[in-house]
């Protein structure tokens, strides 16, 4: 159960806040949005095309879905040749590495929105982790570290910070995260027994870990700034509860429950997309922050606690070992 403070903030955001529509121009910029074939990623990508971005990379795992998304964006914005499909399947590290290699040929990357995410009711492995952990956490961090030099390079050339923002979730409030007590947390998450898939808690756990890792990533970026010029701002967005396809693998009971909530208080994908655009704007005040309702917000008490800070550091150490095994040398990019 989420604490009362979180429930109040959530209800206020869903029912009383009108999210701003950004009027900022993205002229000349190259923007990557993962998971942008549908949902709020698609709406954010549409926004960037409409508002003059030079290149918007639709990073998704199906060419057919990617091209359909581009046709839709072009029909609504009347701008052609801006959105491009690039294949990225976050279930496979090789796909992430191939995607990152391709970005080396780009003259610049101004913004990455690490938005793709999975929620399912069954325990499935993808690479060396349960699939929520691979898709929502590890693969996006592998991508982040692989493209970091390009983000820094772009920041030097443009004279303003590049942005790497993640789509997180208010559901990070909704788990006790018992796996944090395991000797090795990532290994603990690979134990199927007790993984709490049917209640969607594994998804909540993945979003909590994503938030904690982003906070440590931000610290590391700030620490390396004097040695490695080119500022990169990182943050994590809570888009609220948005009417998208995210629940499609959640199981019948959860889908029924969500249907009710959706009717009463969900945001549209366009409204959710506005929160992604806000994250992409990357104001200095957003660095290392959890964002909600298009402003800096307050994460859970656990995240801010001494224990939360210790677990955050442990998660980071474990992740670095994992990423080095996947792609030796990648942590040197920090
Ligand atoms: N909707 C909400 O209420 C809500 C609330 C909080 C946070 N979020 C987060 O918002 C983000 C966007 O989700 P959404 O709500 O817009 O849902 P969505 O419409 O289901 O979009 C999810 C996107 O992630 C992609 N994806 C999933 N697994 C992938 C993989 N292995 N490799 C590459 N792409 C993959 C999907 O691609 P396919 O179409 O190929 O599956 C899709 O493009 C997610 O991170 C989600 O956790 C959503």
């Amino acid at each position: 159960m989420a604490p009362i403070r979180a429930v109040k903030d959530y209800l206020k955001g869903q029912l009383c806040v009108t999210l701003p529509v950004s009027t900022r121009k993205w002229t000349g910029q190259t923007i990557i949005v993962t998971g942008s074939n549908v949902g709020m990623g698609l709406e954010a990508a549409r926004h960037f095309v409409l508002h003059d971005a030079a290149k918007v990379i639709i990073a998704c795992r199906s060419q057919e879905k990617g091209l359909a998304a581009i046709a839709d964006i072009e029909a609504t914005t009347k701008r052609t040749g801006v959105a491009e499909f690039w294949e990225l399947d976050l279930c496979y590290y090789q796909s992430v590495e191939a995607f990152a290699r391709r970005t080396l040929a780009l003259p610049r990357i101004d913004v990455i929105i690490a938005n793709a995410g999975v929620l399912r009711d069954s325990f499935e492995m993808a690479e060396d982790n349960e699939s929520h952990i691979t898709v929502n956490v590890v693969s996006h961090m592998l991508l982040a570290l692989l493209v970091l030099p390009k983000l820094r390079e772009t920041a030097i050339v443009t004279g303003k910070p590049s942005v790497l923002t993640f789509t997180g979730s208010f559901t990070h409030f909704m788990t006790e995260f018992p796996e944090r007590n395991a000797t090795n947390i990532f290994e603990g998450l690979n134990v199927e027994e007790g993984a709490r898939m049917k209640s969607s808690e594994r998804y909540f756990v993945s979003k909590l870990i994503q938030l904690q890792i982003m906070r440590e990533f931000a610290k590391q970026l700030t620490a390396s700034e004097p040695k490695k010029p080119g500022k990169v701002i990182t943050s994590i967005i809570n888009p609220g509860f948005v009417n998208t396809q995210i629940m499609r693998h959640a199981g019948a009971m959860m889908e029924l429950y969500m249907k009710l909530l959706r009717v009463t208080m969900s945001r549209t994908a366009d409204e959710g997309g506005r929160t992604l655009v806000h994250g992409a704007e990357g104001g200095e005040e957003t660095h290392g922050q959890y964002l909600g309702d298009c402003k800096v917000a307050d994460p859970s008490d656990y995240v801010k606690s001494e224990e939360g800070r210790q677990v955050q550091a442990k998660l980071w150490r474990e992740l670095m070992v994992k990423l080095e095994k996947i792609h030796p040398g990648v942590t040197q990019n920090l």
Side-chain angles (χ1 to χ4, degrees):
M1 249 333 256
I4 292 181
R5 165 174 79 81
V7 175
K8 268 190 183 159
D9 286 352
Y10 167 78
L11 289 174
K12 191 171 150 215
Q14 292 293 129
L15 300 172
C16 309
V17 172
T18 304
L19 298 171
V21 180
S22 172
T23 53
R24 174 173 162 164
K25 291 279 177 211
W26 300 85
T27 310
Q29 298 204 20
T30 295
I31 300 172
I32 296 174
V33 188
T34 73
S36 45
N37 53 294
V38 285
M40 56 189 116
L42 169 61
E43 296 315 317
R46 192 192 312 282
H47 179 95
F48 297 128
V49 173
L50 186 64
H51 290 272
D52 212 32
K55 193 190 285 290
V56 177
I57 294 172
I58 307 294
C60 62
R61 55 185 163 172
S62 148
Q63 183 174 30
E64 195 188 340
K65 289 184 194 175
L67 295 181
I70 291 171
D72 181 23
I73 289 173
E74 292 188 342
T76 52
T77 62
K78 311 290 180 231
R79 289 192 77 213
T80 54
V82 176
E84 277 180 25
F85 162 75
W86 283 30
E87 188 177 331
L88 173 66
D89 190 335
L90 295 155
C91 281
Y92 301 97
Y93 298 145
Q94 272 191 2
S95 175
V96 178
E97 291 172 311
F99 183 92
R101 252 193 319 274
R102 220 177 144 187
T103 66
L104 296 178
L106 289 171
R108 61 194 277 178
I109 304 176
D110 300 85
V111 176
I112 299 180
I113 306 184
N115 165 72
V118 69
L119 186 165
R120 57 173 65 253
D121 69 345
S122 55
F123 189 100
E124 282 167 34
M125 294 296 287
E127 299 282 9
D128 51 342
N129 316 288
E130 184 282 315
S131 65
H132 286 79
I133 305 303
T134 299
V135 174
N136 300 354
V137 181
V138 179
S139 282
H140 267 141
M141 283 310 298
L142 175 62
L143 180 65
L145 263 53
L146 286 170
V147 294
L148 190 52
K150 179 64 79 178
L151 288 166
R152 286 198 179 112
E153 206 181 288
T154 304
I156 292 170
V157 173
T158 61
K160 62 185 196 54
S162 301
V163 177
L164 172 43
T165 187
F166 300 85
T167 309
S169 174
F170 58 90
T171 60
H172 83 270
F173 279 96
M174 294 163 61
T175 176
E176 299 277 318
F177 187 21
E179 294 88 348
R180 71 186 189 285
N181 296 316
T183 311
N184 180 298
I185 300 174
F186 283 95
E187 279 173 18
L189 289 160
N190 279 349
V191 179
E192 182 167 358
E193 201 187 336
R196 307 177 311 289
M197 307 305 297
K198 295 286 174 210
S199 62
S200 300
E201 197 178 334
R202 173 50 59 96
Y203 172 80
F204 310 161
V205 167
S206 74
K207 291 291 170 179
L208 174 57
I209 294 176
Q210 195 191 22
L211 165 59
Q212 292 196 275
I213 281 177
M214 182 286 302
R215 284 163 62 93
E216 194 64 29
F217 181 45
K219 262 173 65 182
Q220 303 283 336
L221 285 178
T222 305
S224 60
E225 252 172 49
K227 285 179 283 147
K228 299 200 172 171
K231 191 175 171 75
V232 178
I233 284 180
T234 191
S235 61
I236 191 160
I237 303 153
N238 161 27
F241 179 49
V242 186
N243 190 358
T244 64
Q245 297 177 29
I246 192 72
M247 300 301 294
R248 77 195 105 142
H249 305 300
M253 279 310 288
M254 196 49 90
E255 175 56 13
L256 184 68
Y257 172 62
M258 286 299 159
K259 246 185 201 150
L260 281 173
L261 270 186
R262 215 171 276 142
V263 172
T264 50
M265 63 166 77
S266 67
R267 289 174 169 162
T268 63
D270 174 62
E271 289 169 323
R274 291 180 208 170
T275 68
L276 269 51
V277 172
H278 170 256
E281 288 179 343
E284 296 272 349
E285 76 289 355
T286 66
H287 185 57
Q289 300 294 331
Y290 170 70
L291 311 175
D293 298 338
C294 296
K295 50 188 195 311
V296 172
D298 206 13
S300 72
D301 290 342
Y302 155 73
V303 168
K304 295 178 292 178
S305 69
E306 184 47 38
E307 189 199 3
R309 273 191 283 275
Q310 282 175 20
V311 173
Q312 174 180 311
K314 178 169 157 59
L315 280 166
W316 182 259
R317 285 192 301 275
E318 289 185 15
L319 179 70
M320 292 303 102
V321 171
K322 193 178 263 298
L323 294 183
E324 270 301 315
K325 267 194 202 140
I326 300 167
H327 192 103
V330 71
T331 61
Q332 299 306 309
N333 288 352
L334 269 167

